[in-house]
Amino acid sequence: MIEWWHLLVSFFLANVFGYGGGPSSIPLMYQEVVPNHAWMTSSGFSNMLALGNALPGPIATKIAAYVGYQVGGWPGVLIAVAATVVPSIIALIFLLNMLQKYKQSPVIKGMTLLVQPVIAIMMLLVTWSSFVESTKTIGYLQFFGIAAVAFYFIQKRKIHPAFVIVAAFVYGGIFLQHS
Amino acid sequence: MKLSKQLGGRGALTNSYIQIATAMFRTGILGYGGGPSIVPLIRYEAVTRFKWMEDEEFGEVLAIANALPGPIATKLAGYLGYRLKGVGGAIIGVLAHIAPTCAAMVGLYSFIHFFSTSTIIKGMIAAVVPVVAVMLAVMAYEFGEKAVKGLGWYAGIGFFVISFLLLQTLSVHPAIVIFLFLFYGAFHNKLQSLWKKKQQKGETI
């Protein structure tokens, strides 16, 4: 019972202090899981992280699910995942509902307009870091080759990105094997 | 019957719950690299595929979501679900997005050795990164285009430079940058009309 409470508090804190999405909460979750509560060893945590990175989807909830299961079985999963996602969703819904009410006011219109350049630059920076990471593992030729094909099919031919990603899986599984 | 005709009879996908579940399931099992790299996939489903909202609104939602702490993809999944179908929609959206991978995480631990050493799986993931990078770049471009359209070339580029300096050169926290821009944005329209009035006066004198 007390472990459930600890799960709730740990995952709530690790995510409420993590800015910039799940990946930036990983060190905070490590702090709670390994040194604070000794739910896992340090190498256990890195193994779990390796598995998490090999699977798709948001990373914070995958970690919460795994640690939750180890500590408290399926109820543990539920508690840890809920503590990870529910507070920030409620905050977002609350804030956006408030903004919606005043949608037509020039104040809100100005705010909506002024966030566009910030979002553009933030996305540009994420693009840049994934470019740098990717070229380190697969090289410039592969990167630009795959990127060009993906651009053609998603932007020009308007194919659903899901198909392009599945095609990339197949291509990578055959031609980009590496250790 | 009447309703489905009005909606164009596109079958099950006209049901909002099924739309939310489909979109969030797809983005949850196809996005690699954690929440931030899943954002363009979510945008594709919300804006292009299912047309739940305009791109401007998505940008606003994304900005506010970035200004708040916590995982980003689940915030979007929850909010989009909520916007369509209230609390039930939010729950469906988040569950469809994370339940498959959470279950996989618990179920696959005994295969961890296979997953973390398989050269095939590493190759598969490596090939997805450029695809996601393209989607991120397109998204950056399109929001940049909107900024220039709304603010004009001079102000638009000025604000790009300011955001770049703050975020990259000075490493100011993204949440702080967003709050600063939102704060200024609240006065932007008023300042602009004042400035225009002043200019007109200047011309008549």
Side-chain angles (χ1 to χ4, degrees), chain A residues 130 134 138 142-148 150 176, chain B residues 125-135:
Chain A
S130 66
S134 178
I138 62 174
Q142 289 285 352
F143 179 90
F144 284 110
I146 298 170
L176 294 176
Chain B
I125 297 169
V128 175
V129 181
V131 180
V132 170
V134 164
M135 296 187 73

Side-chain angles (χ1 to χ4, degrees), chain A residues 7-18 21-22 25 29 57-65 76-94, chain B residues 35 65 68-79 90-99 101-102:
Chain A
L7 269 179
L8 187 79
V9 174
S10 297
F11 280 94
F12 171 74
L13 290 178
N15 284 288
V16 95
F17 289 111
S25 295
M29 289 191 266
I59 186 79
T61 50
K62 278 182 285 188
I63 295 176
V77 173
L78 206 68
I79 292 168
V81 172
T84 302
V85 302
V86 173
S88 58
I89 293 175
I90 291 178
L92 181 65
I93 290 175
F94 177 75
Chain B
L68 291 169
I72 181 80
T74 52
K75 263 183 286 188
L76 293 177
Y79 177 74
I91 293 170
I92 302 254
V94 175
L95 283 181
H97 194 63
I98 64 173
T101 47
C102 284

